[in-house]
Amino acid sequence: MLVLRLLNVVAPAYFLCISLVTFVLQIFVFIPSMFRDPSTTPLFSPGLLHGALFLFLSANALGNYVLVIQSSPEDLGKDLNLGKGAEVADWLDGSRSPGSALPSTHFCRLCARVTQRHDHHCFFTGNCIGSRNMRNFIMFCLYTSLACLDSLVAGMAYISATLSMSFADPLAFLTLLPHSISQFFSGALLSSEMFVILMLYLWLGIGLACAGFCCHQMLLILRGQTRYQVRKGMVVRARPWRENLQEVFGKKWLLGLLIPVLNVESNYRRQKEK
């Protein structure tokens, strides 16, 4: 438990540090060195367009990241019916059955909070993912993967121009790291260039992980399930996939796709409960 609590503090700091490093490399290294075309107008220069795209992806990723943290499940726990004489602490040792509570509610030991439609505890946000912040979590994963992909492509272009190498061969990227390590220790490679190469593999790993999380989460949403329900073997009432999507994303899903907005329960669910 101590290790998990420590990870709950270190992981968000690690993510913010990686985000800051990525922003500095993109704005102050990749864009100034890769986009130098005086023949184009400043308004439509490739550097400005690429910078605007990266800022859009980064703003959505960080904006939804903050909203996931702010959408705390603590308020939901105050309104749950835990049963007569039941306390939240009773959920820790399983001495009380949450049958009288809302479906799929769960008490998290790390958060010390009750989450409605609990899915999982995200260490990179230090918060549980549930009904209030599920959409923001999916948008966070989506835009983080896109921002990592954008940084990966820009970084590969920078390394290709700096080291005069080509990535036309698919194996060139796989063999880049071992060759770079040998060149670095032999003194043929600068520390700044080695750092960018290491960041390429980090962006690839984070991008693939976030894309996998996003795809897996969307599959569960289409089925009307959460990870907690799958792990506990809970039976979920079958519903049309459109209703499941609308329950999570609401009717104004396009607004949440373009800008970070707070994820609240959809009007569809409220009307259905009435």
Side-chain angles (χ1 to χ4, degrees), residues 52-73:
L53 174 62
F54 173 73
L55 291 178
F56 171 77
L57 298 177
S58 301
N60 275 277
L62 292 178
N64 283 285
Y65 179 82
V66 173
L67 291 179
V68 170
I69 299 176
Q70 288 185 346
S71 301
S72 171

Side-chain angles (χ1 to χ4, degrees), residues 176-193:
L176 175 62
L177 183 59
H179 290 169
S180 300
I181 293 177
S182 61
Q183 292 179 1
F184 174 74
F185 286 104
S186 64
L189 193 65
L190 299 177
S191 57
S192 59
E193 297 171 346

Side-chain angles (χ1 to χ4, degrees), residues 186-221:
S186 64
L189 193 65
L190 299 177
S191 57
S192 59
E193 297 171 346
M194 186 64 197
F195 178 75
V196 173
I197 292 174
L198 292 176
M199 289 299 299
L200 293 181
Y201 289 90
L202 186 60
W203 287 327
L204 177 63
I206 296 177
L208 291 178
C210 289
F213 269 111
C214 185
C215 294
H216 178 64
Q217 208 67 55
M218 286 299 300
L219 180 61
L220 292 177
I221 291 175

Side-chain angles (χ1 to χ4, degrees), residues 29-248:
V29 179
F30 297 160
I31 294 179
S33 60
M34 296 305 301
F35 299 99
R36 296 177 180 176
D37 190 0
S39 62
T40 58
T41 59
L43 183 60
F44 298 101
S45 62
L48 183 61
L49 295 178
H50 178 82
L53 174 62
F54 173 73
L55 291 178
F56 171 77
L57 298 177
S58 301
N60 275 277
L62 292 178
N64 283 285
Y65 179 82
V66 173
L67 291 179
V68 170
I69 299 176
Q70 288 185 346
S71 301
S72 171
E74 185 177 9
D75 296 332
L76 293 175
K78 298 177 181 179
D79 299 328
L80 294 179
N81 178 21
L82 300 180
K84 185 177 180 181
E87 298 291 341
V88 172
D90 295 331
W91 289 41
L92 286 172
D93 56 2
S95 59
R96 293 205 181 255
S97 173
S100 59
L102 295 176
S104 302
T105 52
H106 175 68
F107 180 81
C108 179
R109 292 179 174 87
L110 296 175
C111 294
R113 300 165 180 169
V114 178
T115 309
Q116 180 181 346
R117 286 190 62 82
H118 176 82
D119 188 84
H120 69 284
H121 181 89
C122 178
F123 288 99
F124 282 98
T125 60
N127 202 1
C128 280
I129 307 301
S131 60
R132 293 190 62 186
N133 52 13
M134 176 60 72
R135 182 180 66 181
N136 296 124
F137 175 75
I138 294 176
M139 292 296 102
F140 159 69
C141 291
L142 173 63
Y143 280 106
T144 300
S145 63
L146 293 178
C148 287
L149 175 62
D150 179 84
S151 301
L152 177 63
V153 173
M156 291 176 62
Y158 173 79
I159 291 298
S160 178
T162 303
L163 303 181
S164 299
M165 62 179 303
S166 175
F167 289 98
D169 186 3
L171 297 179
F173 184 79
L174 299 178
T175 58
L176 175 62
L177 183 59
H179 290 169
S180 300
I181 293 177
S182 61
Q183 292 179 1
F184 174 74
F185 286 104
S186 64
L189 193 65
L190 299 177
S191 57
S192 59
E193 297 171 346
M194 186 64 197
F195 178 75
V196 173
I197 292 174
L198 292 176
M199 289 299 299
L200 293 181
Y201 289 90
L202 186 60
W203 287 327
L204 177 63
I206 296 177
L208 291 178
C210 289
F213 269 111
C214 185
C215 294
H216 178 64
Q217 208 67 55
M218 286 299 300
L219 180 61
L220 292 177
I221 291 175
L222 291 174
R223 295 177 177 176
Q225 294 178 310
T226 63
R227 295 187 193 180
Y228 179 73
Q229 291 174 337
V230 174
R231 188 170 65 251
K232 295 296 182 179
M234 297 181 179
V235 179
V236 180
R237 182 172 61 89
R239 296 186 308 176
W241 61 270
R242 294 180 182 272
E243 295 183 5
N244 295 327
L245 282 178
Q246 194 175 40
E247 183 180 10
V248 175

